[in-house]
């Protein structure tokens, strides 16, 4: 089954969204709203996506502050053009690559994924992006590489949250190479047919839908192929609470709260919580990556 978000969004919302985009284009002649289209994907869920307003106003992006509304309030200052990603380490063709070369508009796929935050809330987001595997294949991964490390930009003048001593910057994340090469793993450059909103990690971020949201690192400037397990910011901050793997797992509770259920953002006051699914519902695709591993030890 191949679905686009327009297929799973009530027609009324869809038309409103189109009208909104058209309005934006008319109102800002200097920088018209760019409408992108991504090819529909068999990996998309048919669950109803959250609204654009929900997805862009309830965020975690600590470089802009700790509150859910801080990214929407402060990320507009971020300069995202020009932007390149330094890809290096154990690769055949290291270098600085433009976002447009990594994820050209005509290569974009739409992936409607569930996002499950470790804080036990969730959303459904219609991303636009390219599989990370294709990018890594073009760069040429050397046989010695076992992991992929990612790093977010640090620019204090534009990111007020960096003055917080609470975290150690830059925000960093990592995947095992087979996780990075999995077809679900996306480098996303947009959502809802538009370039990535800054609060969601413009111009390019990772999306790993079977892991807690903190693995999906935003505004990436560096990707390094390595033979050592990379630093994960949350794991370094509090290893007993946030593991390197961070696979969504309703059977392994966070020390301070249950992971058995989640609150779907926008579901309404009386909707109740829903059960959290193993691997966030992507078990058929990814369980094989962890065959033989004790997921209570490797949380
Ligand atoms: N990436 C960076 N650089 N900084 C962050 O604070 N927060 C993570 C992740 N990526 C974060 C980040 C967390 S905790 C979550 S849940 C998701 O981004 C949230 O993505 P969203 O705001 O697009 O929904």
């Amino acid at each position: 089954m191949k679905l686009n978000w327009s297929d799973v969004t009530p027609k009324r919302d869809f038309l409103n969204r189109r009208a909104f985009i058209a309005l934006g284009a008319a109102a800002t002649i200097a920088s018209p709203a760019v409408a992108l289209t991504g090819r529909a994907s068999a990996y998309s869920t048919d669950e109803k996506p959250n609204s654009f307003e929900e997805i862009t106003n309830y965020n975690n992006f600590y470089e802009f502050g700790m509150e859910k509304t801080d990214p929407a309030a402060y990320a507009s200052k971020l300069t995202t053009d020009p932007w390149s990603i330094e890809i290096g380490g154990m690769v055949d063709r290291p270098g600085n690559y433009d976002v447009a070369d990594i994820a050209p508009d005509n290569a974009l796929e739409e992936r409607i994924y569930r996002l499950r935050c470790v804080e036990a809330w969730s959303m459904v987001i219609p991303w636009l992006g390219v599989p990370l595997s294709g990018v890594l294949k073009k760069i040429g991964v050397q046989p010695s590489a076992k992991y992929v490390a990612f790093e977010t930009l640090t620019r204090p003048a534009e990111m007020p949250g960096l003055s917080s001593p609470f975290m150690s910057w830059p925000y960093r994340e990592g995947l095992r190479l087979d996780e990075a090469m999995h077809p679900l793993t996306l480098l996303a450059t947009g959502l809802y047919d538009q370039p990535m909103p800054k609060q969601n990690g413009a111009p390019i971020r990772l999306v790993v839908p079977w892991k807690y949201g903190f693995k999906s690192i935003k505004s990436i400037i560096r990707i390094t192929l390595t033979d050592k397990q990379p630093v994960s910011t949350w794991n370094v901050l509090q290893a007993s609470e946030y593991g390197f793997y961070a696979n969504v797992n309703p059977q392994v509770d966070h020390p301070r709260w249950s992971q058995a259920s989640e609150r779907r953002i926008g579901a309404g006051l009386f909707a109740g919580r829903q059960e959290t699914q193993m691997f966030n519902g992507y078990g058929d695709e990814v369980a094989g990556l962890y065959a033989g591993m004790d997921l209570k030890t490797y949380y």
Side-chain angles (χ1 to χ4, degrees):
M1 189 168 43
K2 294 195 171 188
L3 294 167
N4 266 93
W5 65 265
S6 51
D7 300 323
V8 294
T9 305
K11 201 72 185 171
R12 194 168 41 88
D13 299 2
F14 176 70
L15 291 175
N16 284 345
R17 189 83 220 118
R18 290 282 176 210
F20 178 77
I21 292 168
L23 256 178
T28 53
I29 290 154
S31 57
V34 195
L36 300 168
T37 23
R39 279 194 307 283
S41 164
Y43 288 114
S44 287
T45 172
D46 57 4
E47 284 169 75
K48 181 177 181 278
N50 280 86
S51 70
F52 185 83
E53 287 66 28
E54 286 160 356
I55 293 169
T56 56
N57 286 288
Y58 189 90
N59 300 101
N60 279 333
F61 200 164
Y62 287 91
E63 287 86 336
F64 295 100
M66 310 275 290
E67 301 296 327
K68 294 286 181 281
T69 49
D70 284 343
Y74 302 117
S76 58
K77 284 193 199 137
L78 184 68
T79 311
T80 55
D81 186 14
W83 190 284
S84 61
I85 300 190
E86 184 190 332
I87 307 185
M90 296 165 172
V91 298
D92 296 333
R93 284 171 287 282
N96 289 304
Y97 293 87
D98 281 348
V99 174
D101 295 329
I102 293 171
D105 288 352
N106 62 9
L108 297 179
E109 289 180 40
E110 183 181 66
R111 300 284 185 97
I112 308 172
Y113 283 164
R114 291 177 290 277
L115 175 93
R116 169 60 158 84
C117 179
V118 73
E119 298 163 334
W121 54 263
S122 64
M123 292 201 203
V124 176
I125 303 181
W127 303 109
L128 290 172
V130 296
L132 174 62
S133 63
V135 176
L136 294 181
K137 279 177 196 155
K138 280 188 210 141
I139 299 295
V141 177
Q142 296 179 348
S144 50
K146 302 278 179 290
Y147 295 92
V148 187
F150 304 85
E151 225 177 276
T152 296
L153 173 82
T154 51
R155 192 179 287 150
E158 295 182 354
M159 296 173 139
L162 292 179
S163 60
S164 162
F166 169 65
M167 313 247 299
S168 73
W169 312 103
Y171 194 100
R172 281 179 281 180
E173 260 309 332
L175 296 172
R176 229 169 48 189
L177 185 59
D178 58 346
E179 298 176 323
M181 297 303 283
H182 192 280
L184 281 169
T185 305
L186 205 65
L187 278 177
T189 56
L191 59 84
Y192 265 123
D193 290 355
Q194 293 181 50
M196 189 65 76
K198 292 183 179 177
Q199 58 267 49
N200 294 91
I204 187 162
R205 55 112 29 107
L206 187 68
V207 182
V208 195
W210 72 94
K211 292 178 178 283
Y212 290 121
F214 69 82
K215 298 294 289 184
S216 292
I217 181 173
K218 297 177 171 183
S219 305
I220 298 167
I221 54 150
R222 188 165 293 114
I223 299 180
T224 310
L225 278 287
T226 162
D227 57 0
K228 306 228 167 30
Q229 183 172 299
V231 167
S232 158
T233 287
W234 285 97
N235 179 242
V236 166
L237 194 67
Q238 193 51 272
S240 64
E241 301 188 354
Y242 310 101
F244 172 78
Y245 282 91
N247 292 314
V248 175
N249 188 343
Q251 286 146 33
V252 177
D253 286 336
H254 186 280
R256 292 183 280 127
W257 59 84
S258 165
Q259 294 292 24
S261 69
E262 64 200 53
R263 178 173 63 95
R264 179 62 56 82
I265 300 299
L269 208 52
F270 303 106
R273 298 175 72 84
Q274 59 188 71
E275 278 182 25
T276 289
Q277 303 173 71
M278 187 67 204
F279 297 116
N280 201 22
Y282 297 97
D284 286 351
E285 289 88 0
V286 303
L289 294 173
Y290 310 102
M293 275 175 73
D294 179 352
L295 296 179
K296 289 200 163 70
T297 306
Y298 298 100
Y299 55 93

